[in-house]
Amino acid sequence: MNNRKLFAFIPLVIFIVLGIFLWRGLSIDPTELPSALADNKRPVPAFELPSLTEPSVMLSNADLKGEVALLNVWATWCPTCKEEHGFLNRLAQDEGVTIYGINYKDEPAKAREWLRRYLNPYKKVILDEKGTLGLDMGVYGAPETYVLDADGVVRYRHVGAVDASVWKTLQQVMAQVEQEAVK
Amino acid sequence: MIIPELGEYALILALCLAVLLATVPLAGATRGNTLWMSYARPLSKGMFLFTLFSFLCLSWSFIDNDFSVVYVASNSNTALPWYYRLSAVWGGHEGSLLLWALILAGWTLAVAVKSRNLPQDIIARVLAVMGWISIGFYLFILFTSSPFERYLPGYPQEGADLNPLLQDFGLIVHPPMLYMGYVGFAVAFAFAIAALLSGRLDAAWARWSRPWTSVAWAFLTLGIALGSWWAYYELGWGGWWFWDPVENASLMPWLVGTALVHSLAVTEKRGVFKSWTVLLAIFAFSLSLLGTFLVRSGVLTSVHAFASDPDRGLFILIMLAVVIGGSLLLYALRAGQMRSESSFGLLSRESLLLVNNVLLVVSCAMVLLGTIYPLIVDALGMGKLSVGPPYFNALFIPLMSIMLVFMGAGVISRWKQTPLSMLVQQLWLPGIAAIVLGIGATWLYAGELEHWVTLGIVLAWWVVLAGLRDLYNRLRHRSEKLAGLLKQSRSYYGMVLAHLGVAVLVVGVALVSIYSEQRDLRMQPGDSVTFRNYTFVYEGNKHVEGPNYTSDQGQIRVLYEDEPYALMRPEKRLYTARGNVMTEAAIDPGFTRDLYVALGEPLENGAWAVRVQYKPYVRWLWLGGLLMTAGGLLAASDPRYRKRMRSAEA
Amino acid sequence: MKALLLSLMLLLPFSAQAAIDAYEFSDEQKEARFQQLTGELRCPKCQNQNIADSDAPLASDLRREVHRMLEEGESDEGIIDFMVTRYGDFVLYRPRVNETTWLLWYGPFVLLGIGVLVVVLISRNRRQSTPTGPKASSEVGGQYQASEGLTTEEAERLNKLLQRDSDQ
């Protein structure tokens, strides 16, 4: 009889556990994907692509090395990219952050016009017209912003616009990466 | 201009009545105050009338194109035909909740009107529980999701239009049927809670809730079948089940509901499994509520989830905690004291039905696990993963195959004790016949024996033949066979129909899953493709103007064995208000196969991407669903339920 | 606020276009593998769709990659690895069997085992606990007792009704 009474509580216990997970689920965004590169601390995949600003110059992994930097994936067809562009300009000018750009699946002429009109926050812009580099990096939506360490290894990814609050997180990650390098 | 406000006030009044309904009759039942208990019926009627009035107010705002109402403006448009304007009432989150509340009030009313012969304290408790559930939904609507909110001070001159996917006959009927099912389980739930509260958990309780459960189950079956049919022709790629969280949310209560329908039969006839049956009744409705949470809170990604909002999610979660947590606590406190006064052997109808219950509940648990597993893993910080059709198929199909085996044996078996020798003696012939006919039919159809198809067809024959053997047993001793047929009860024929529906469904699933054929082609005018004896000739596109869209209509001439057969016209529509593009597939339906043509993107040189599909026996899926629905309704209409109630009153 | 509204709108099923591209395959087996693979890979960008059904540009890119690799003679495992390296386990609709997914893959079978065990135990217990003698057992089995919350008259009436019913 006593056993039976205990058994009768099993459904309640299961439900409570389930409820806790569902409650946790409310604060998780299921559409946000982790980056396979950042999770495994892998370098930016090997590439050989022209520069957007100087089409005759070819860029490769070596061009992304040397200092802790941001790598921003953008395109003129992406409305959120326009939203964050002003903030990226401020980061580059006022805070002196090094930002590389990947112009992702875009028309080069339009992209160059955009940089002329809205200013260019990028140190170098990789022209990824076919989206091959984007695919290798696991880009699933523009804009995306990656934190690279001095060896060109991906340490963090943010999907969506960069604004003041996102920048805080990115700044922390960058500081941490720099500290690790010192050790 | 004041109509939406009236609708909101009516809803507030309905809430007040629900509060009274939830408290006064319940207090009366506890204290034995007949006057207080007698308020249950009028309160239920009032609650229904005010909810109906509120619903009509919202409908009026849609008909009237009152775009000052936010919900109308975001789900309707002046160019929308009137019937879609009406079905747009439940085209979005807020309105569909109002429909849910209306149906809940409707079921409450039905219980109040139809159960005149139940003991007064039982009916008072049942209606009070319905009142509690109603309070939750009215509060949810009024506080987080009012469809009557206005744009103030300025409002748009034109509405944003109803999502084109939903501008379709399927949407007019699918949600109401589905909600009838979900909410119908609230009645079984209310009966179970009332029985737990009163401590009178007996066979009478099972008999009272049986017809309600069967009706709810039938509606849910129909709702799911309609949803599958709608996805098939409307989404444009010919799938009929995607194991999407939203679909799983409807499948889980269906699986448990099916277990409940069977378990209630045992409890009614034999007085066993009482606490198990009560638990299933609680589960069935809890899973309906859980489905609402999963669909509307945004915790899972789904193709057709509603626009989500964490606040709403939190509200539903609190409601889940109160309703499910509360009822399971009550169950834990009361069910431990229940005792069954019956015996049955390892081989008996009881034990076989229990095995059926175990398989259905395990399948449901599997679907639940698969649906929320990504969430669990994510919440534990173990990364992101996806659980999709390959997982569900890999586990669901074996579980259901085992169940089909037991289905045949269960129909033949007797209560209390069934000797193994009797089962063998009765079933060897149907068994061998099923294997022979199944293998033969598969071979004739396909010219090969693909193992899943063969298994499916054999099991379908097995279910049908075992059922025939049972019918033969029933008529064997009667001299007048025809009169004997007529003498069988409606609930028996309901069972036969539903089981036949399962067999038909299984045939459809097996054949359409394995033998569908699809070609994706680049077609220029004049190009053709031939397969399965059909030749499809692309003759170019026509421009067509609809009421709120423009369309490119492909002209595809179909020949059957080189004879002209049909002209199929798949469309690519541009809905002007929102600017979305929609594929409208052309379907040539048939009893043994559908031809399915969809138009893709325009390619260079006047060519178009075209998808041509051959879908064998796909209609059998929904035919099976319809048979099950009919079976459920027929069983519920058995006169003995009414007779029983009348004599209980005497 | 605008961004919020936009993202809310995007959650609705916005378009239902069949994603159709007319790839040509060197043999039929590759075409079948293409349909199988694209059916089991999830589109990272979309709500909950495989890359075969989705009309998102990313899904179309991934289909192109699958087609390219198939024609280059890559194995199914190679193609799946390619996707997982880039997008993580999220793209697999058929989750891999590992520590994280043991509960997912084996849990239902364990549950089934427990269920069957319980059924066997219950029907054994029930059989043993019944009084001896076939007649007595069937009486107790089929009849309702006053103890079950029924008054004696109620139980009698119920049993009479059940009797009437058992012929059906």
Side-chain angles (χ1 to χ4, degrees):
Chain A
M1 203 61 194
N2 241 343
N3 272 347
R4 257 197 89 139
K5 272 191 182 160
L6 283 183
F7 280 133
F9 278 92
I10 293 178
L12 183 64
V13 172
I14 294 176
F15 170 71
I16 290 172
V17 173
L18 182 69
I20 292 170
F21 277 114
L22 294 180
W23 177 73
R24 283 282 298 131
L26 284 176
S27 50
I28 295 174
D29 180 4
T31 56
E32 203 180 296
L33 281 192
S35 158
L37 289 179
D39 283 1
N40 301 309
K41 291 192 185 170
R42 281 202 296 255
V44 175
F47 67 94
E48 192 80 28
L49 289 165
S51 154
L52 173 73
T53 44
E54 304 154 83
S56 56
V57 178
M58 291 303 271
L59 300 174
S60 72
N61 293 52
D63 292 282
L64 303 178
K65 288 177 187 172
E67 57 190 320
V68 178
L70 295 180
L71 176 61
N72 177 252
V73 181
W74 65 281
T76 56
W77 46 258
C78 135
T80 323
C81 298
K82 203 165 174 178
E83 225 169 85
E84 69 168 5
H85 198 81
F87 194 83
L88 291 181
N89 278 327
R90 218 169 321 139
L91 281 188
Q93 282 164 13
D94 304 348
E95 314 246 352
V97 181
T98 309
I99 309 178
Y100 299 109
I102 297 181
N103 183 232
Y104 175 63
K105 295 183 78 169
D106 205 355
E107 291 167 41
K110 265 193 190 171
R112 278 190 283 268
E113 172 58 28
W114 158 299
L115 289 184
R116 235 189 331 274
R117 191 183 305 171
Y118 302 117
L119 301 179
N120 183 354
Y122 306 111
K123 190 171 170 191
K124 285 167 187 166
V125 184
I126 303 157
L127 176 59
D128 187 18
E129 219 176 329
K130 294 235 169 84
T132 47
L133 177 59
L135 193 96
D136 284 343
M137 293 187 66
V139 169
Y140 68 95
E144 290 187 9
T145 304
Y146 295 77
V147 175
L148 307 183
D149 68 13
D151 299 323
V153 172
V154 178
R155 304 302 289 270
Y156 184 80
R157 164 168 79 173
H158 170 76
V159 179
V162 174
D163 55 22
S165 71
V166 174
W167 168 236
K168 244 180 219 160
T169 323
L170 294 178
Q171 215 170 5
Q172 276 170 8
V173 177
M174 289 171 85
Q176 202 187 343
V177 169
E178 254 159 30
Q179 254 177 5
E180 274 175 42
V182 171
K183 280 178 203 164
Chain B
M1 270 318 277
I2 199 173
I3 300 283
E5 278 70 29
L6 283 179
E8 179 118 4
Y9 293 149
L11 211 56
I12 294 173
L13 282 173
L15 170 66
C16 296
L17 292 180
V19 171
L20 290 177
L21 177 62
T23 48
V24 176
L26 198 60
T30 342
R31 295 179 162 204
N33 184 328
T34 28
L35 181 66
W36 289 8
M37 285 194 265
S38 70
Y39 288 138
R41 287 207 175 88
L43 283 171
S44 306
K45 287 176 193 164
M47 194 174 84
F48 174 75
L49 284 178
F50 281 110
T51 316
L52 180 67
F53 181 77
S54 177
F55 188 83
L56 290 177
C57 287
L58 185 61
S59 310
W60 176 257
S61 299
F62 268 93
I63 293 292
D64 196 34
N65 289 317
D66 185 355
F67 297 129
S68 70
V69 178
V70 178
Y71 181 69
V72 178
S74 39
N75 288 288
S76 186
N77 187 287
T78 46
L80 202 62
W82 68 269
Y83 41 90
Y84 289 145
R85 262 188 262 159
L86 267 187
S87 70
V89 172
W90 54 85
H93 164 77
E94 291 88 347
S96 65
L97 265 183
L98 187 59
L99 176 68
W100 176 296
L102 176 68
I103 291 176
L104 183 56
W107 277 105
T108 312
L109 178 75
V111 175
V113 171
K114 283 274 176 187
S115 305
R116 293 216 167 270
N117 309 316
L118 296 191
Q120 197 178 22
D121 67 311
I122 291 286
I123 194 71
R125 286 197 177 94
V126 169
L127 291 176
V129 175
M130 300 292 280
W132 281 106
I133 302 167
S134 304
I135 293 176
F137 277 95
Y138 291 132
L139 286 177
F140 186 35
I141 297 175
L142 289 169
F143 280 111
T144 73
S145 325
S146 171
F148 298 110
E149 234 166 73
R150 298 249 202 189
Y151 277 120
L152 286 173
Y155 60 86
Q157 288 305 302
E158 182 57 279
D161 205 2
L162 178 65
N163 186 329
L165 267 178
L166 308 180
Q167 296 181 24
D168 176 77
F169 173 74
L171 181 86
I172 299 183
V173 288
H174 162 61
M177 292 301 113
L178 199 62
Y179 291 179
M180 284 293 282
Y182 283 153
V183 183
F185 283 139
V187 179
F189 173 82
F191 270 102
I193 297 299
L196 283 176
L197 283 174
S198 68
R200 280 165 50 183
L201 204 59
D202 46 39
W205 157 73
R207 185 164 351 96
W208 294 326
S209 48
R210 237 184 122 181
W212 297 102
T213 312
S214 301
V215 172
W217 178 86
F219 274 115
L220 187 58
T221 313
L222 185 62
I224 295 173
L226 283 170
S228 155
W229 175 60
W230 172 77
Y232 170 75
Y233 71 77
E234 187 66 19
L235 292 183
W237 53 85
W240 45 272
W241 191 260
F242 301 95
W243 293 107
D244 184 81
V246 170
E247 295 167 340
N248 295 349
S250 65
L251 183 65
M252 289 187 282
W254 187 86
L255 289 168
V256 170
T258 310
L260 176 62
V261 165
H262 290 94
S263 178
L264 273 172
V266 186
T267 305
E268 188 207 356
K269 298 257 170 172
R270 300 274 299 131
V272 286
F273 307 163
K274 279 179 241 164
S275 62
W276 173 245
T277 309
V278 167
L279 191 60
L280 285 179
I282 295 174
F283 276 169
F285 183 59
S286 300
L287 287 165
S288 301
L289 286 182
L290 183 69
T292 313
F293 173 80
L294 294 180
V295 175
R296 292 168 199 260
S297 66
V299 295
L300 297 170
T301 39
S302 149
V303 208
H304 27 205
F306 287 94
S308 57
D309 175 341
D311 284 348
R312 290 174 188 165
L314 192 62
F315 194 104
I316 311 179
L317 191 60
I318 293 171
M319 196 157 90
L320 288 187
V322 174
V323 176
I324 308 178
S327 53
L328 288 178
L329 183 65
L330 181 68
Y331 172 82
L333 295 176
R334 289 286 169 88
Q337 297 155 8
M338 275 183 264
R339 283 191 310 131
S340 286
E341 299 275 341
S342 195
S343 68
F344 56 88
L346 196 54
L347 259 186
S348 62
R349 192 164 229 184
E350 289 92 329
S351 65
L352 287 172
L353 279 169
L354 198 54
V355 170
N356 138 307
N357 269 227
V358 166
L359 285 162
L360 284 166
V361 170
V362 168
S363 306
C364 174
M366 183 276 287
V367 175
L368 179 63
L369 187 67
T371 308
I372 61 165
Y373 209 75
L375 175 69
I376 294 178
V377 170
D378 202 359
L380 293 175
M382 290 155 74
K384 298 254 179 186
L385 53 78
S386 304
V387 180
Y391 167 80
F392 291 108
N393 288 333
L395 272 72
F396 194 71
I397 293 171
L399 283 169
M400 284 300 119
S401 304
I402 304 174
M403 202 186 76
L404 290 173
V405 173
F406 279 97
M407 230 169 110
V411 170
I412 290 285
S413 64
R414 303 258 165 85
W415 296 114
K416 294 175 211 164
Q417 190 67 260
T418 311
L420 184 63
S421 56
M422 176 220 151
L423 273 187
V424 172
Q425 181 243 324
Q426 299 232 335
L427 287 175
W428 70 267
L429 187 60
I432 290 176
I435 291 170
V436 171
L437 285 171
I439 290 178
T442 314
W443 182 264
L444 272 181
Y445 177 76
E448 59 167 8
L449 292 178
E450 203 280 334
H451 53 282
W452 285 115
V453 175
T454 317
L455 180 69
I457 308 284
V458 166
L459 287 173
W461 274 115
W462 164 246
V463 169
V464 170
L465 292 173
L468 279 178
R469 172 76 215 205
D470 179 44
L471 184 62
Y472 169 76
N473 287 349
R474 282 161 184 266
L475 300 182
R476 192 166 36 173
H477 301 301
R478 297 195 188 256
S479 45
E480 292 275 334
K481 301 289 182 210
L482 194 66
L485 273 181
L486 292 174
K487 269 226 144 143
Q488 301 301 320
S489 68
R490 283 199 205 174
S491 46
Y492 169 71
Y493 279 121
M495 183 270 280
V496 170
L497 265 186
H499 283 191
L500 186 65
V502 173
V504 169
L505 174 71
V506 168
V507 173
V509 170
L511 290 174
V512 78
S513 306
I514 304 289
Y515 290 120
S516 285
E517 209 163 321
Q518 171 183 330
R519 299 285 163 83
D520 289 359
L521 304 153
R522 178 183 185 283
M523 290 186 119
Q524 274 175 312
D527 282 355
S528 73
V529 60
T530 303
F531 64 104
R532 301 279 184 112
N533 296 331
Y534 289 92
T535 305
F536 300 83
V537 188
Y538 177 62
E539 296 185 336
N541 274 11
K542 254 191 204 166
H543 188 75
V544 177
E545 297 267 343
N548 51 350
Y549 61 86
T550 62
S551 157
D552 278 311
Q553 193 186 62
Q555 310 288 312
I556 293 182
R557 179 82 49 198
V558 186
L559 310 171
Y560 180 64
E561 292 179 338
D562 299 326
E563 295 291 314
Y565 173 73
L567 178 68
M568 297 182 74
R569 287 181 286 238
E571 291 184 40
K572 187 135 190 141
R573 286 185 186 167
L574 176 71
Y575 282 82
T576 38
R578 288 189 182 188
N580 5 8
V581 182
M582 288 267 307
T583 304
E584 229 14 68
I587 301 173
D588 179 62
F591 189 63
T592 58
R593 59 102 194 94
D594 273 18
L595 304 178
Y596 193 110
V597 182
L599 217 50
E601 297 288 317
L603 306 169
E604 67 285 359
N605 303 330
W608 279 74
V610 180
R611 170 173 295 174
V612 186
Q613 283 174 287
Y614 179 95
K615 297 253 166 203
Y617 290 84
V618 67
R619 300 272 139 187
W620 286 44
L621 301 170
W622 310 305
L623 178 64
L626 286 180
L627 285 172
M628 285 189 246
T629 306
L633 293 177
L634 190 63
S637 76
D638 197 310
R640 77 204 177 84
Y641 293 119
R642 265 163 288 157
K643 200 163 60 189
R644 197 64 58 68
M645 283 171 192
R646 226 173 291 136
S647 54
E649 187 190 33
Chain C
M1 187 57 206
K2 213 175 77 192
L4 177 75
L5 260 177
L6 193 72
S7 65
L8 284 182
M9 277 159 61
L10 287 177
L11 276 169
L12 289 163
F14 225 21
S15 69
Q17 298 185 55
I20 304 170
D21 21 44
Y23 284 122
E24 288 181 9
F25 294 87
S26 51
D27 61 66
E28 272 188 19
Q29 216 189 341
K30 278 189 180 140
E31 187 165 7
R33 279 171 62 204
F34 179 80
Q35 287 182 3
Q36 166 92 8
L37 278 166
T38 53
E40 291 196 359
L41 289 168
R42 179 172 186 172
C43 162
K45 174 79 188 159
C46 325
Q47 289 304 320
N48 183 15
Q49 280 184 323
N50 55 29
I51 62 174
D53 291 342
S54 169
D55 64 333
L58 180 60
S60 146
D61 286 359
L62 294 179
R63 284 196 298 273
R64 192 191 59 223
E65 289 298 307
V66 172
H67 176 253
R68 177 184 62 79
M69 283 186 276
L70 275 172
E71 287 299 322
E72 284 169 7
E74 186 66 76
S75 67
D76 287 0
E77 294 77 44
I79 294 172
I80 285 172
D81 278 341
F82 175 91
M83 295 293 169
V84 172
T85 323
R86 281 155 185 77
Y87 296 97
D89 280 337
F90 181 82
V91 291
L92 302 179
Y93 265 136
R94 183 195 297 276
R96 289 174 167 169
V97 182
N98 55 30
E99 294 97 330
T100 322
T101 57
W102 274 340
L103 177 65
L104 179 69
W105 282 105
Y106 304 127
F109 293 105
V110 174
L111 199 61
L112 182 63
I114 295 174
V116 170
L117 198 70
V118 169
V119 173
V120 172
L121 285 179
I122 287 182
S123 32
R124 289 232 158 143
N125 265 344
R126 290 279 161 88
R127 206 162 31 168
Q128 279 160 10
S129 67
T130 56
T132 47
K135 185 144 191 295
S137 103
S138 72
E139 288 295 332
V140 172
Q143 301 278 312
Y144 291 95
Q145 314 278 299
S147 63
E148 291 166 343
L150 294 170
T151 61
T152 323
E153 301 101 275
E154 271 176 335
E156 257 172 33
R157 210 163 61 213
L158 197 55
N159 287 327
K160 243 185 254 164
L161 287 164
L162 277 179
Q163 206 75 51
R164 216 194 290 161
D165 196 48
S166 57
D167 293 331
Q168 292 186 0

